[in-house]
């Protein structure tokens, strides 16, 4: 079954909406990557440690979750993990790199 994805433009639209409808942003990259550049308000949960965050993830139940990484590959695995646990999750297509190129060029690229 394909993992649902959200485009950077759609994510930007949702983030600009009312606070109660904004998704939770989960960054599954490594801490060094997150320190370099991250989407505002995102929560760092490195993919290899994702299952260690089960309590924090449970707090997101009932809310839309957008999982992102650098290019959108790790986030597919992260979103699949969350979907398997019954959370409402999608992967950011193209990752933060595509988001930077198409939505917010002020975000550093690496």
């Amino acid at each position: 079954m394909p993992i649902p994805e959200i485009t950077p433009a759609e994510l930007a639209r949702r983030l600009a909406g009312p606070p109660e409808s904004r998704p939770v942003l989960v960054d599954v990259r490594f801490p060094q990557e997150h320190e370099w550049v991250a989407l505002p308000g995102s929560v760092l949960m490195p993919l290899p440690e994702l299952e260690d965050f089960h309590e924090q993830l449970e707090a997101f139940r009932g809310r839309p979750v957008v999982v992102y990484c650098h290019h959108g590959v790790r986030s597919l695995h992260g979103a699949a993990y969350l979907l398997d646990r019954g959370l409402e999750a999608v992967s950011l297509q193209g990752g933060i790199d595509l988001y930077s190129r198409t939505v917010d060029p002020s975000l550093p690229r690496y």
Side-chain angles (χ1 to χ4, degrees):
M1 171 187 249
I3 305 303
E5 292 184 281
I6 186 171
T7 66
E10 176 62 17
L11 176 58
R13 189 187 68 72
R14 290 187 188 182
L15 291 175
E20 64 274 3
S21 67
R22 292 180 193 152
V24 174
L25 300 173
V26 173
D27 182 351
V28 294
R29 298 174 301 148
F30 292 105
Q32 307 89 312
E33 293 173 286
H34 185 82
E35 288 172 17
W36 177 253
V37 60
L39 294 176
S42 62
V43 180
L44 177 63
M45 297 181 179
L47 185 61
E49 303 165 19
L50 198 53
E51 64 186 45
D52 297 340
F53 291 95
H54 57 86
E55 288 179 24
Q56 197 171 355
L57 290 168
E58 278 303 310
F60 302 151
R61 192 167 294 282
R63 297 180 63 195
V65 178
V66 174
V67 182
Y68 77 93
C69 63
H70 188 201
H71 287 116
V73 176
R74 288 175 280 179
S75 59
L76 287 170
H77 295 284
Y81 178 83
L82 298 184
L83 288 166
D84 284 347
R85 276 133 195 88
L87 294 166
E88 181 186 337
V90 298
S91 172
L92 177 59
Q93 186 180 62
I96 196 167
D97 187 68
L98 185 59
Y99 191 91
S100 174
R101 287 188 288 133
T102 60
V103 173
D104 186 355
S106 72
L107 294 173
R109 294 183 61 217
Y110 63 100

